[in-house]
Structures are given as C-alpha cells and as structure tokens.
Amino acid sequence: MTQPVNNLKAWRHLEAHAGRMAGPENHLSKLIAAPNRLAGFSASGGGLFYDFSRQRVDADVMATLVELAGERAVSRCFADMVNGEIVNRTENRAALHTAARDFSGRKITVNGVDAAAELSRVNAEVREFSRRIHSGELTGTTGKPFRHAVVIGIGGSYLGTEFVAAAFAPAADKNIRLHFLPNVDIDCFGSLVQSIDPESTLWIVISKSYTTTETMANEAQALAFLRENNLDPKDHIVTVTAKGSPGDDPSKPVLVSFHMFDFIGGRFSVTSAVGGVPLSLYVGFDRFERFLAGAEEMDNHAASAPPEKNLPMIAALVSVWNNNFLGYPASAVIPYSTPLSRLPAHIQQLYMESNGKGVTQDGHPLNTASGVIVFGEPGTNAQHSFFQLAHQGRHFPIDFIGVIRPHFESYRNRSKGVTNHQELWANLIAQPQALATGKADPENKARHFSGNRPSSTLLLNDLSPENIGRLLSFYEAKTVFEAFIWDINPFDQFGVELGKTMASDIRASMVKKNENPEHIIDDAGHIEKAYLDMLFGGSLKA
Amino acid sequence: MTQPVNNLKAWRHLEAHAGRMAGPENHLSKLIAAPNRLAGFSASGGGLFYDFSRQRVDADVMATLVELAGERAVSRCFADMVNGEIVNRTENRAALHTAARDFSGRKITVNGVDAAAELSRVNAEVREFSRRIHSGELTGTTGKPFRHAVVIGIGGSYLGTEFVAAAFAPAADKNIRLHFLPNVDIDCFGSLVQSIDPESTLWIVISKSYTTTETMANEAQALAFLRENNLDPKDHIVTVTAKGSPGDDPSKPVLVSFHMFDFIGGRFSVTSAVGGVPLSLYVGFDRFERFLAGAEEMDNHAASAPPEKNLPMIAALVSVWNNNFLGYPASAVIPYSTPLSRLPAHIQQLYMESNGKGVTQDGHPLNTASGVIVFGEPGTNAQHSFFQLAHQGRHFPIDFIGVIRPHFESYRNRSKGVTNHQELWANLIAQPQALATGKADPENKARHFSGNRPSSTLLLNDLSPENIGRLLSFYEAKTVFEAFIWDINPFDQFGVELGKTMASDIRASMVKKNENPEHIIDDAGHIEKAYLDMLFGGSLKA
C-alpha cells in the first residue's frame, strides 16, 4: 500500500511552512519586493513562460514541494503513463493521450497492441478524409460540398475541441463552419438546425462506446432530420468510436468510422481523432498536426525537465500548496485573449473530473482534500464581472494567461495613447500585482485592499497551433501531476454513475407513461413523482 | 451603528442548529424520506416554483432563518430600495432597477427627479426607435437596412443582455443578428468585423460615464472602421449613457442617445435601456416589455410575500445558511436549458460583484464571510464535465433550473422510449436526488457516494419573455436580500478600483515607449518591467 500523502515527511514540513507563510513578514507585497523575485520564481520551457512570483511561496516552500514530488515519485508515475503502463488501475487501462502526439517513432505497446501505430494509422485516415472533403471529392447526397460540420458528442467528446476550435477560429479558412450539439436538450438541436443547410452538413458522432445516452438521442434526431430531407446517412454521417462499437457496424453504414481507443479517456482526447476529425475539417490537417507537435514539445518538457524547472510540475505543486496547505477551495483560469474563451470550461472538466476524487488508487479514503473548483471567463471581461470579490471578498488563486502577439496585430489605432492589445496587457500586468500588493486605506475601509491574493501568469508567444497544443499539454500534465501526489486515479470517473442509474429509473417511469397516458406513476419517490407530474401535465403545480 | 450580524440572537441559534444538522440523523437521505418533505420545503410565487427540499434544512432551521430576516428587517430594506431611498450609501445613490419595470404608474422620486417617469420616457424612445429600424425607415449611410447590431459594452453593460438574448434567440424574428464586443482584446474586434457587413451594422455603445476604458477603445475602433468604409457615425452609432456624458454630446453627433441613470447600477441594468435597446432590436419591443412585466411580477412577489413563502427570500436565507453555517465556499447554477447557457455568467457577475465585499454599510470590517464563488454550465453538459467532483469530491450547493416546456416542442422523436426533453428531465430529476441520497458501497470505495450534498431546483413553465424576466428578478432579489442580512452594500464596487489605477500607471509607461521607441522603461517594478519588455520585444524572454 502506498503511504498516505499526509504521512510523508515533506507534507509535514509543508504544514509548518504554511504557518510561517501566514505571517505578515511573508505578505506577498513583501515577497515580491525582492529584486530577484521574478528570476527566482519563474521558468521557461516547452515553449511557454510561467511566472509564479505572485504565489505565496518562498525558496524553502518550493524546495519542500519538490521534495514532496520526489517522495511521491511523480516523475516516474508520469513516465509510466507515457510508456503505456496500466496507470488507470480501477479500469485496467493505460492512459496514452501523449502517444497521440508522439512523433518519435518509438513503439508503445498496450495489451499487445502497438498504440502509437494505431494512432498514427487513424491520423493518416483523418488527413486523407479532410483532404477529400476540402477538395470537394466527397459531397453530400445531392452533390453539394460540405460547408457545415456538426459535432454530436458531450463532455470529453466536445469541450476540448470547442476550446481549440475557438482558439483557431480566426485562422479557419476551409469554408466550413463548425457547430456543437452536446446537450440532449431539444432546444440545442432545434437552434442548431435553424443555422445549417441540410444538404451541405456533415455530422460527426463521437462516442467511444456509442451508447452515451445524450449522444445517441441526438444521433437519432440527426438521422430523422436526414430522412426528412431525403439525405443518406452514409453520405452525411461519420463516427469517431471504438472499433466494433455500435457506431462501427457495417450493417449501419456511415461515410467513415474513425477509431478511438480505451487507452485515451474523453477529457484527454482532443489530440486523438476526437479532436482530429472536426479540427482538421475546420482548419486543415496541417494545422491540427502543428497543434500536436506543440503538445508533444510540452509533453517532452513535462517528462524530462527537472521538477524545479518543469512548468506543469511547478504549477501542480503550487496548486497542491494553495489547496492543501493554504486552504483555497477554488481557482480561476483567466485568459486575456478572446480566442481562449472556452479554455476555462475545458480545464474545468479536465481538472475537476480528473481530480474530484475521494479515494486513493488502493481504494482507501483520501484523508486530504483533492481537486478544487475551477472556473473562469476571459479578461478583461472578468475584471468587470467577479473581480470585485477577488479583490475584496474571499480569496482564490488565479491563473492569468497572456498572449504576446494577438491574431489581429494589424489594428493599431490608439486610445489613451495605447493600442487595444497594449491596453489588454496593461490590465494583465496590473491585476496580479494589485491582488498581491493590495493597498491600505485606514480612512475608508470600503477602499481598503488587503492584498496577499496569489496568482500565476502563463505566457504564450502567440495563438499559433503549436502554442495551443503546448497550453493543452501544460494543463493535462499539471492535472495528472497533482493526482500522482495525492495517489488518486485521475483517469476514471465513477462519480458520474449514480446519477446515470437514477436517471435510468426515472426514464423507465416516463416510458410507461409514454406507452400508456393513463398510467399513474407509482414507482418513484414523492419528490420525483411531483416533477414527473408537472412534466407530463405541462405546467407548474398550482 | 447596525448590530454586527453574528451578534444577533437568530445567528447564534443558527450556529447551534448547524451542529445539530451535521449529525447522521439529519443526512439528506433521512430528511427527504419524510413523505411531506416537498410540500413543506417548496414554494410557488411570482410565476416560478422553488424546491428546497434537498437543502440541509429542517423546519427549525427555516424558522430561525426567517427570524434572522426579521431581526435584520430585510423586507423593509427591500421596500426602501424599491421606494428610491439612498440605499447605495457609499455612492449616495438609490438603486431603482425595479422602477425600470414598474408599470403601476406610481411616482418614485430621487433627488427631485421622477425616476419612473424618466425610465418610462426612455422606454417610449426605445419602442419608437426599434420600430423605425424594423420598418426600414432608419437605414445605414448607404441606404441598406440594418441586419447586425453590435453592443460595445463590458460587465454590466453586456452580461445581462447576453444572457437574455440567448434565452430569446429561438424567437428572434426581426432579421437582425446581435453581436457583443465587450473585451478590449483586439482579437475580439478582429473576429467581430469578419462576421458583419459594415453597411448594415448598427453599433450600440453602452457606458454610463462614457469613459470606461475598454468601451472607449472599442468605440475608437468602430469609428475608424466606419471611416474606412465611408460610413457616417450619425447613421451607424447609438449610445446608451448618462445625460450629458461625453456620449451624449451634440458636438459628436450620433443617431440617437438613450439615457441611463445613476440610480441603476450596471449589473442590475438589463431591464433599463442597457438591455432595452439591443433586445428590442433583436426580438422587438413588445417581447422586451413582456420581459419587463415578468420581472415586475417577481419584484412584487419579493416585496410583498411573507418571508416563509417568498421565493428569493428563501433562496437568500438558504444561501446564507449554506455559506455562513455549513461552510460551503462556492455554489453552482446549472440550467437544464441550452438557451439559458449564459445565465451562470450573468449570476456570477450579479452575485459576486454585489456580495463580494469585506465591509459593512458603516465601513466596519465584516466579521463573517460574505458572498461565495458562483459558476456553472448547462446540464446535462455539466454532468459530463465537473459533476464527478460534485458527487465524490468537495461539496458545493447547486441551483438546478428546469423548464417544463422547451422552445422546440415539436421534435418528439424518442430514443430509449423518451423524447430528448424527457431525457433532459430524467437527469434534472435524478441529479439532485443522487447528490442528496448518495449510495453506500462498502466493498468498492471508488463507487461509494457519501450523499448529503445540497441543492435547490427552480422551475419555469417555459422560456417566454415573462419567465426570463421572473428568473432575472428572482436572482436580483436573492442577491440583495443576502446583502441586507450581512448589512453590506450590494450596489458599489470599489474593489475594482485598485486594478484600474495600477493599469493606468502601466499604460503611462507604454505611452512613453510608444512615443519614443528608444525609451527605457524605468518607472515600473521589476516584474512589470519584465512583462513590458516582452510585450514591446514581441516575444517571450529567453
């Protein structure tokens, strides 16, 4: 059995450090006054720059955190993951998202399957497929070229792709609009079909098992829609699914099926065909491949850089410090870049589904807090929304994300003497500083800022596909590093099962009522029954 | 001086109740087993249904919370607000968002101004303006009818309207697309102008002071864009701003200026011209007026229903209970309705900016926690994103929101025997129940659910404009009720000032460098300087 994390020597030392860091002499305004603060508390690697100078750490804290990573053999855990070991033990699976962008040519075998070769085969298929769509060689039933692609998929089959697609949007030059149909809500489908042209629409149905309830319900809507428009599913539907799933069944022909594998989980799958098919259609396979290359660069950095120079490792250690030692229950991700608007939603899933766990790998209750709540909106929007609370209400750490060169560099009009991009950066630079230093106002307490509110800043050179890949991989590595410290499994998600089971019971009641409108619902609890009565009655109870 | 809230008798009783409610006999699975649980812990009013049966409260807790509201005279504070008293004392202003939808005809005077009459005058102007746009009487410089409206505004000048516009989207039949340009980020502007036709675009610039930095920078971009396209600002720009502001200046002519008033704050302004102008263009003034009528109905309910039957009051009291007595630091808003996708972002601003405060009305440090972190995404999407953590990680209360009848009722294909809307509801019904009851699995701890995780469910009959108005008003009233309990000012936002001041200093450094590229930045701290060097150098530091 693995030692509980809070029995480790480094953990106990960190508890002592936390007491020390709470003292007024370690207020952030004091810490950042040291002239070498930034040099000592920032790192470059994998193509990104990470500044943790405004975190409530000093050299001793960082050294002890690195010891914790050592005691926990976090780097070895990461190597095991990359090498295809069965690191997802509760589901007896490997976790090989890194193999999806491993261009080294090395063999990675899982249960006798050459995973790298399989992923590479699928990528070649995606490349060829997107070429044939873009060239107009493949068309819809009526011969019209495809101008819309709709992703039917939810959770990990959608959020990552949505984030990356938004980041790529200004470069989307393939004359294909990308839409998402994640929610089973009929208003999601209804709105969507108002905005597409049926004859020029390709549907991409993404589900590993091809049994995901929401996805299957939306696939059924799409099939009915195709029928109504006299269009053939084998011209208009592609699937991304496990080999041999009901979505990869020759008796239900579709245009093409791309395989996904049980060694890559949904929330880690955007560099597989899950992201590959829609993103290649949207911006071309070449850009998708550059995105993979960026992710690979950060993967290699995460795997090889020593902990004290390893960006995602430092970020993970600081996150554990903030959570378990300083007691912050939540963390925000604030990209100062509109194209990164949906990064927070992606990280919210990636991090909270991976690390929102209550048991260790061995199945023992975890006796420390695990993952925090993650949320965010783009800056400067967020400043005009919830930053009031960030400055004067309860404290939470923030990841600020900045981009040195925007997509639309050519607009250089100045307002107040600066370009819009400079104004954005004036705020990006000011906010972490204001949160850290605060400003005493003994006269007017409503204008008093206590400061000492921690943040990091992560910088990208620009929004190139490579940098989006680096950013994605950075957060993936950070997420699993934290899990390795706690010794939890970041790759399973048994926590979603109970709700599914209970929804299934409610669905059974609904089916009876659908089959016989006279049926009196008698097999549900009194609260559930009241809701079913309102739904079937078509109005709120009096 | 007002008594500190934690000195009140009811507060001390609630602390005792909290200890009692932590016992295993008060686990939610036990509480909801009572056959009359729903009847006792739900309420209808103002057109909505609110179920708090899955909150960790019993009759004694609720009675004591109502006592707290009484000791704090929360209902009288609300009446003072509605009647135009100076409830925003730090800024010496009234808070009269309710007057924007008060159709009673009564007079509400603030500093000698008849506020209701002024708001009514502006509404008449908005009605007439939208009619002239829709009829084609007003066109762009080249005579083209308007097909795009762009809102330039940030924070409260944008988030509420964005939420309501998305809710109305399926009913948008005026042939006008609505766009938002909140962020100073040039990539926000760059992407926007790729998606509009200059000659048929109307720009709506919204800023009370007409000095908001982001909004002015984007207005400057819009003016340059109009010039480049040989279009006249007085055909293509309207402003929503305070009387006599730089946006209401006859020497800088625009098509029309609508007034906003200092007695309505940004985050409460969607029922004023701030929302009225864009929403009336988007869906017609009649629907906007129905939206106001719904808000008025809930306002009247909030003002007149006794606390124990008052929906936003109950919601506020339960929120304070969860926050100050049960210790939950965050809360999620999960609408099971795609058109309500941006409700969480609106509530995030409304609640966190209003209640993320550290001082009482009298300027004394608040010695309890104030507002929590609010976040959310639509269900069922959220189930496939962060609900793993909600079920097995750290606990946070959730507001589930359901809609009995969706917009697109006509799609009735069934999958697994149920329609998509029924499937959505099977989940909406199951999730609060699963969170509350949990499910013991002593054999396999990874599949163990501890339960006892609280939530409420708020139901709307449908997505009519009236119901969106009721929903908006519900959350506005809930927000201010909580503030009144703590005796904080929900209407100011001094917490955003320090960041603005510091951004201004950084901007000054940038201006010097813009004016003289040889300028060596020497007036910033070493961290700020490093960022400025990277920005002006155009790349990450080595």
Side-chain angles (χ1 to χ4, degrees):
Chain A
M1 178 188 150
T2 309
Q3 182 85 317
V5 66
N6 56 346
N7 284 359
L8 297 179
K9 199 171 62 171
W11 193 273
R12 284 179 278 112
H13 289 171
L14 287 164
E15 286 171 339
H17 284 311
R20 186 173 57 77
M21 294 304 288
E25 72 284 5
N26 284 316
H27 188 286
L28 270 173
S29 59
K30 301 281 187 359
L31 298 179
I32 63 175
N36 56 354
R37 177 75 185 177
L38 182 62
F41 297 85
S42 64
S44 292
L48 304 182
F49 173 76
Y50 180 67
D51 163 14
F52 54 108
S53 65
R54 270 81 55 108
Q55 293 287 354
R56 293 176 53 202
V57 294
D58 64 7
D60 288 345
V61 170
M62 290 313 300
T64 316
L65 285 167
V66 168
E67 278 170 38
L68 178 65
E71 288 194 72
R72 217 49 171 181
V74 167
S75 298
R76 204 201 57 220
C77 295
F78 194 85
D80 288 348
M81 179 188 82
V82 169
N83 290 329
E85 301 291 320
I86 302 300
V87 292
N88 177 357
R89 283 151 52 190
T90 51
E91 298 184 299
N92 195 33
R93 294 175 176 177
L96 274 175
H97 48 283
T98 51
R101 59 263 186 157
D102 186 333
F103 294 95
S104 70
R106 74 199 179 97
K107 203 166 166 148
I108 307 166
T109 308
V110 186
N111 297 328
V113 175
D114 183 341
E118 281 288 277
L119 289 162
S120 175
R121 168 182 68 77
V122 175
N123 262 353
E125 292 168 10
V126 172
R127 179 198 293 270
E128 175 62 7
F129 175 72
S130 57
R131 188 196 60 73
R132 293 174 70 201
I133 294 279
H134 293 147
S135 71
E137 186 182 327
L138 288 174
T139 67
T141 303
T142 60
K144 271 199 183 179
F146 290 111
R147 292 288 172 253
H148 300 270
V150 179
V151 173
I152 300 183
I154 193 164
S157 299
Y158 135 71
L159 279 165
T161 304
E162 187 190 43
F163 145 55
V164 177
F168 285 175
D173 53 5
K174 300 298 177 187
N175 203 8
I176 289 185
R177 282 182 56 199
L178 191 58
H179 309 261
F180 296 93
L181 178 55
N183 202 330
V184 73
D185 179 13
I186 196 64
D187 284 347
C188 197
F189 181 81
S191 295
L192 168 78
V193 297
Q194 287 187 335
S195 67
I196 57 172
D197 164 42
E199 296 174 50
S200 62
T201 298
L202 183 75
W203 303 79
I204 307 166
V205 188
I206 306 180
S207 169
K208 197 185 288 176
S209 64
Y210 223 77
T211 61
T212 311
T213 306
E214 288 90 341
T215 304
M216 292 303 97
N218 278 324
E219 189 225 30
Q221 296 290 349
L223 286 169
F225 181 79
L226 290 174
R227 270 195 306 276
E228 282 158 27
N229 287 282
N230 297 311
L231 300 169
D232 192 335
K234 75 174 191 299
D235 298 324
H236 285 268
I237 293 188
V238 304
T239 63
V240 182
T241 188
K243 195 183 272 186
S245 87
D248 184 39
D249 173 354
S251 73
K252 278 180 57 187
V254 293
L255 180 54
V256 52
S257 288
F258 301 94
H259 290 154
M260 56 198 287
F261 304 95
D262 70 6
F263 51 76
I264 300 185
R267 57 193 172 273
F268 292 92
S269 69
V270 63
T271 53
S272 77
V274 168
V277 175
L279 292 168
S280 296
L281 292 176
Y282 190 47
V283 297
F285 185 85
D286 289 350
R287 286 196 184 93
F288 178 67
E289 202 170 37
R290 289 172 54 198
F291 164 67
L292 299 186
E296 181 189 34
E297 184 183 346
M298 183 56 80
D299 292 343
N300 290 337
H301 170 79
S304 64
E308 62 279 9
K309 299 190 173 186
N310 188 314
L311 273 63
M313 178 78 82
I314 298 168
L317 291 170
V318 167
S319 178
V320 168
W321 167 252
N322 282 335
N323 174 355
N324 294 119
F325 299 96
L326 302 184
Y328 300 111
S331 175
V333 176
I334 310 292
Y336 277 64
S337 171
T338 310
L340 302 181
S341 292
R342 289 297 281 170
L343 174 67
H346 171 63
I347 305 302
Q348 190 173 61
Q349 177 191 35
L350 173 66
Y351 185 86
M352 292 176 73
E353 194 165 55
S354 297
N355 290 345
K357 302 287 163 69
V359 294
T360 66
Q361 290 266 18
D362 294 316
H364 295 283
L366 183 69
N367 45 15
T368 61
S370 63
V372 296
I373 290 162
V374 175
F375 69 105
E377 290 283 331
T380 60
N381 295 3
Q383 293 174 207
H384 292 261
S385 168
F386 54 84
F387 269 35
Q388 162 66 42
L389 186 145
H391 284 281
Q392 292 189 319
R394 64 183 73 222
H395 301 219
F396 56 90
I398 298 177
D399 280 6
F400 289 94
I401 298 172
V403 179
I404 291 180
R405 297 176 56 186
H407 267 299
F408 293 93
E409 280 193 292
S410 58
Y411 292 99
R412 305 193 67 85
N413 296 311
R414 293 182 192 166
S415 188
K416 294 188 177 179
V418 296
T419 66
N420 278 35
H421 185 61
Q422 288 173 334
E423 182 64 46
L424 183 71
W425 265 64
N427 284 277
L428 170 69
I429 296 172
Q431 288 293 331
Q433 203 69 11
L435 289 163
T437 59
K439 185 165 179 289
D441 190 333
E443 297 301 303
N444 185 344
K445 290 287 181 195
R447 292 176 180 276
H448 177 80
F449 294 83
S450 59
N452 209 29
R453 294 161 190 254
S455 66
S456 295
T457 304
L458 184 67
L459 294 185
L460 288 64
N461 247 325
D462 57 34
L463 292 165
S464 69
E466 289 85 350
N467 278 325
I468 304 306
R470 290 165 179 138
L471 183 60
L472 181 92
S473 163
F474 169 86
Y475 275 106
E476 288 176 350
K478 170 183 177 289
T479 298
V480 302
F481 281 144
E482 290 188 48
F484 297 154
I485 289 167
W486 291 313
D487 187 37
I488 61 175
N489 182 352
F491 305 112
D492 63 14
Q493 56 279 322
F494 294 115
V496 304
E497 296 301 326
L498 179 61
K500 280 189 199 175
T501 307
M502 293 177 77
S504 186
D505 293 344
I506 297 186
R507 188 189 309 119
S509 293
M510 290 172 166
V511 170
K512 284 186 208 161
K513 186 86 178 168
N514 281 344
E515 287 169 353
N516 172 16
E518 307 301 310
H519 173 74
I520 307 288
I521 293 162
D522 55 3
D523 50 358
H526 83 281
I527 303 176
E528 296 95 314
K529 181 179 179 327
Y531 281 81
L532 288 166
D533 287 344
M534 286 192 270
L535 178 66
F536 281 97
S539 77
L540 298 179
K541 87 179 189 166
Chain B
M1 177 189 150
T2 309
Q3 182 85 316
V5 66
N6 56 346
N7 284 359
L8 299 179
K9 199 171 62 170
W11 192 274
R12 284 179 279 113
H13 289 171
L14 287 165
E15 286 170 339
H17 285 311
R20 187 172 58 77
M21 293 306 288
E25 72 284 6
N26 284 316
H27 188 287
L28 270 173
S29 59
K30 301 282 188 355
L31 298 179
I32 64 175
N36 56 353
R37 178 73 185 177
L38 182 62
F41 296 85
S42 64
S44 292
L48 304 182
F49 172 77
Y50 181 67
D51 164 13
F52 54 107
S53 64
R54 270 80 55 110
Q55 292 287 354
R56 294 176 53 202
V57 293
D58 63 7
D60 288 345
V61 170
M62 290 311 301
T64 316
L65 286 167
V66 168
E67 279 170 38
L68 177 66
E71 288 195 72
R72 217 47 170 181
V74 167
S75 298
R76 203 201 58 220
C77 295
F78 194 84
D80 287 348
M81 178 187 83
V82 169
N83 290 328
E85 301 292 319
I86 303 300
V87 292
N88 177 358
R89 284 151 52 189
T90 52
E91 299 184 298
N92 194 33
R93 291 175 177 177
L96 274 176
H97 49 284
T98 52
R101 60 259 186 159
D102 187 332
F103 294 96
S104 69
R106 75 199 179 96
K107 204 165 166 147
I108 307 167
T109 307
V110 187
N111 297 329
V113 175
D114 184 341
E118 280 288 277
L119 289 162
S120 175
R121 168 182 67 79
V122 175
N123 263 354
E125 291 168 10
V126 172
R127 178 198 293 271
E128 175 62 7
F129 176 72
S130 56
R131 188 196 61 73
R132 293 175 71 203
I133 295 279
H134 292 148
S135 71
E137 187 181 327
L138 288 173
T139 67
T141 303
T142 60
K144 270 200 186 180
F146 290 111
R147 292 287 172 253
H148 300 269
V150 179
V151 173
I152 301 184
I154 193 163
S157 299
Y158 134 71
L159 279 166
T161 304
E162 186 190 44
F163 145 55
V164 177
F168 286 176
D173 54 5
K174 301 297 178 188
N175 203 8
I176 289 184
R177 282 181 58 199
L178 191 58
H179 309 261
F180 296 93
L181 178 55
N183 202 329
V184 73
D185 178 14
I186 196 63
D187 284 347
C188 197
F189 181 80
S191 295
L192 168 78
V193 297
Q194 287 186 336
S195 66
I196 57 172
D197 164 44
E199 296 174 51
S200 62
T201 298
L202 182 75
W203 303 79
I204 306 165
V205 188
I206 305 180
S207 170
K208 197 184 289 177
S209 63
Y210 224 76
T211 60
T212 311
T213 306
E214 289 90 340
T215 303
M216 291 303 98
N218 279 324
E219 190 225 29
Q221 296 291 348
L223 285 169
F225 180 79
L226 290 174
R227 270 195 306 276
E228 283 158 27
N229 288 281
N230 297 312
L231 300 168
D232 191 334
K234 76 173 190 300
D235 298 323
H236 285 267
I237 292 188
V238 304
T239 63
V240 182
T241 189
K243 195 183 271 185
S245 86
D248 183 41
D249 173 355
S251 73
K252 276 180 58 188
V254 294
L255 180 54
V256 51
S257 288
F258 301 94
H259 290 154
M260 55 198 287
F261 304 95
D262 69 5
F263 50 75
I264 300 186
R267 56 192 173 273
F268 293 92
S269 69
V270 64
T271 52
S272 77
V274 168
V277 175
L279 292 169
S280 296
L281 293 176
Y282 190 46
V283 297
F285 185 83
D286 289 350
R287 286 195 185 93
F288 178 67
E289 202 171 36
R290 289 172 54 197
F291 164 68
L292 299 186
E296 181 190 34
E297 184 183 346
M298 183 57 80
D299 291 344
N300 289 338
H301 170 79
S304 64
E308 61 278 10
K309 298 190 174 187
N310 187 314
L311 272 64
M313 178 78 81
I314 299 169
L317 292 170
V318 166
S319 178
V320 167
W321 167 252
N322 283 334
N323 174 354
N324 294 118
F325 300 94
L326 303 184
Y328 300 111
S331 175
V333 176
I334 310 292
Y336 277 64
S337 172
T338 309
L340 303 180
S341 293
R342 290 295 282 169
L343 174 67
H346 170 64
I347 306 301
Q348 189 173 62
Q349 178 192 33
L350 172 66
Y351 185 87
M352 293 175 72
E353 195 165 55
S354 297
N355 290 345
K357 303 287 163 66
V359 294
T360 66
Q361 290 265 19
D362 294 316
H364 295 282
L366 183 69
N367 44 16
T368 60
S370 64
V372 297
I373 290 162
V374 175
F375 69 105
E377 289 283 332
T380 60
N381 294 5
Q383 294 175 206
H384 292 261
S385 169
F386 55 83
F387 268 35
Q388 162 66 42
L389 186 145
H391 284 281
Q392 291 189 319
R394 63 182 73 220
H395 300 219
F396 56 90
I398 299 177
D399 281 4
F400 289 94
I401 298 171
V403 179
I404 291 181
R405 298 176 55 186
H407 267 298
F408 292 94
E409 279 193 293
S410 59
Y411 292 99
R412 306 194 66 85
N413 296 312
R414 293 182 192 166
S415 189
K416 295 189 176 178
V418 296
T419 66
N420 278 34
H421 185 61
Q422 288 173 335
E423 182 64 45
L424 183 71
W425 265 64
N427 284 276
L428 170 68
I429 297 171
Q431 288 293 331
Q433 202 69 9
L435 289 162
T437 59
K439 186 165 181 288
D441 190 334
E443 298 300 304
N444 184 344
K445 290 287 181 195
R447 292 176 180 276
H448 177 80
F449 293 83
S450 59
N452 210 28
R453 293 162 190 254
S455 66
S456 295
T457 305
L458 184 67
L459 294 185
L460 288 66
N461 247 325
D462 57 34
L463 292 164
S464 68
E466 289 86 349
N467 278 324
I468 304 306
R470 290 165 178 139
L471 182 60
L472 181 93
S473 163
F474 169 87
Y475 275 106
E476 288 177 351
K478 170 183 178 288
T479 298
V480 301
F481 281 144
E482 291 188 49
F484 298 154
I485 290 167
W486 292 312
D487 187 37
I488 62 176
N489 183 352
F491 306 112
D492 64 13
Q493 56 279 322
F494 294 115
V496 305
E497 296 301 325
L498 180 59
K500 281 189 199 175
T501 307
M502 294 177 78
S504 186
D505 294 343
I506 302 207
R507 188 189 309 118
S509 292
M510 290 173 166
V511 170
K512 284 186 208 161
K513 186 86 179 168
N514 281 344
E515 287 169 353
N516 172 16
E518 307 301 312
H519 174 74
I520 306 290
I521 292 162
D522 54 5
D523 50 359
H526 83 282
I527 302 176
E528 297 95 314
K529 181 179 180 325
Y531 281 82
L532 288 166
D533 287 345
M534 286 192 269
L535 177 66
F536 281 97
S539 77
L540 297 179
K541 85 178 190 166

